[in-house]
Each structure stands twice: as structure tokens, then as C-alpha cells.
Amino acid sequence: MEAATEMRVFTMIYGHCLTLQVVKDVQIYRTSSELAPTFLLAAAIVWSHLSRSESALLGLAASALLVLCTHGSQSNHVTLEAIIALGVLLTAPAPRWRSASSKRSHPGEAETEREQRRLLWSGRLTVSMRAVLGVLYAMTGFAKLNDAWHDPHVSCCVQMFLGSVANFVDVRLLPPVLLRSLPYGATAFELGFPLALAGAHVCEITSRPGAARAVLRALTIMGA
């Protein structure tokens, strides 16, 4: 996938996630002064879908960080979204000012330079987001290393599974060994996720893109 397409997909998906923050703010806040940052974020979300410029992603991340810091609930979801915004801003290339005469004289050179900078930014942002995911899964996996999580009678893992399949099967007929294994499977996956992600990154930097793609696709499907 080309860098421009990668950045475009990332921008749109991030914008979709931030739309939930806008909806929540509109339900909670009433005055225009309170909603001013939210209106800014909403405009950035719309612009991120209309523009193909990288500046749309920068505007989205900056406005998201403002809203999350002022209206965020300090929950783990808000913290994660704020970290993603910081990752976008900290990995973005520094602006380079080119004179109008330079742009007219070398339009092809300017476009090539822009594509190179976009490619480098995409690479830095990819590493940053993988680091965020690795830390996230390692922390959630470590948090599950307790007796209550692995007790099928009280584990929320089992309770959520039963709730999701209750409309399709009689949960009383499910084998107990399945319910006992679910929490262990979740723990193993979350602790193994950052290791597999690191392995995919090593495959990429050692010129084994096929193996890296296979691991990343498997993690995406299993994670979903």
C-alpha cells in the first residue's frame, strides 16, 4: 500500500473514532463556550474526509488533543486516543518553506520531495502506533494475571462471552472446559500480541515483507 493511501485510511478511521467524542460532548455540554473545542474537532473530522492533504491529519490530531484534554473523562479510552494524537503530532515532519519561484521552477522536484517526506512520516507513524499497541496489549495482559480473571464463575471474559451467545445457544449446554479455557486464551493472546507484533517488525526490517504481512493480518483478524 502506498504511503498516501496508508495515511488516508488512518486519517479516516481515526476521524470515525473521534466522532464518538463529538456525539458525547453534544449530549453533555450546552453552552457555545463549552462546545467551542468540540465544534473545532467536528470541523476537523469533516475536513479529514474531504481533503487528501496531510495537514488534515495534523488538524485532526491537534483538535482531538484539545478536546480530549478539556472534555475527556480520563478513562483508558480517552488516554489511548490522546496518545494516538500525540503520536501523530510528534512524528510529523517539520514544515519546509519553499519559495514560489522554486515551486514554479521545479514542480516535479517539489512533488518528489513531498512524497518522500510523506513516506518517511508514514514509516515513523507506523512504528509509533505499533509501539502504542504493544504497550497496550502488554499492560492489559499483565492486568489479567490474577486469580479472579481466570475463575470462570466471576471472570468478565466468561460473562461477556455467555451474554454474546445466549441468543443463539443454550449456555447450559456449553462444556465447562470451554468456559475455563476462555480467560487463559485471552491472557495468552494479549501477552503474545506485542511479541508477535515485534516479530512482524523484525521481519520487515530484515526484508521479509511476506512473513510480516501474514503476521499482521493474523493479528488484525484475531484482535478484531
Side-chain angles (χ1 to χ4, degrees), residues 14 18 21 41 44 59-69 81-82 85:
Y14 190 38
L18 291 170
Q21 181 67 38
L41 175 58
L60 184 64
S63 58
L65 193 60
L66 174 63
V67 170
L68 294 171
C69 289
E81 285 187 336

Side-chain angles (χ1 to χ4, degrees), residues 50-213:
L50 299 177
S51 174
R52 294 185 176 274
S53 171
E54 289 78 13
S55 60
L57 177 55
L58 289 175
L60 184 64
S63 58
L65 193 60
L66 174 63
V67 170
L68 294 171
C69 289
T70 55
H71 293 170
S73 61
Q74 312 306 318
S75 68
N76 52 350
H77 302 87
V78 170
T79 301
L80 179 60
E81 285 187 336
I83 291 174
I84 293 175
L86 281 173
V88 171
L89 298 174
L90 293 177
T91 58
R96 288 189 179 180
W97 307 106
R98 298 174 62 89
S99 64
S101 60
S102 175
K103 291 180 181 179
R104 288 194 299 267
S105 301
H106 307 90
E109 179 184 343
E111 183 61 30
T112 300
E113 180 184 350
R114 179 185 176 191
E115 182 61 29
Q116 290 176 344
R117 286 160 59 81
R118 182 188 311 174
L119 183 62
L120 291 173
W121 185 16
S122 177
R124 291 193 299 268
L125 185 57
T126 297
V127 174
S128 174
M129 293 301 105
R130 287 179 181 175
V132 170
L133 278 177
V135 172
L136 173 67
Y137 274 92
M139 291 178 62
T140 56
F142 179 77
K144 290 176 173 55
L145 299 180
N146 59 79
D147 293 337
W149 170 262
H150 297 100
D151 182 350
H153 299 290
V154 297
S155 176
C156 64
C157 173
V158 176
Q159 302 304 319
M160 292 180 66
F161 172 76
L162 293 177
S164 64
V165 302
N167 292 329
F168 308 100
V169 298
D170 187 347
V171 297
R172 293 171 298 180
L173 301 178
L174 294 175
V177 64
L178 170 64
L179 302 183
R180 288 196 300 268
S181 64
L182 285 175
Y184 289 97
T187 303
F189 174 77
E190 294 193 1
L191 290 176
F193 187 99
L195 298 177
L197 195 60
H201 186 69
V202 171
C203 288
E204 285 185 339
I205 62 180
T206 55
S207 302
R208 289 181 290 170
R213 282 195 299 270

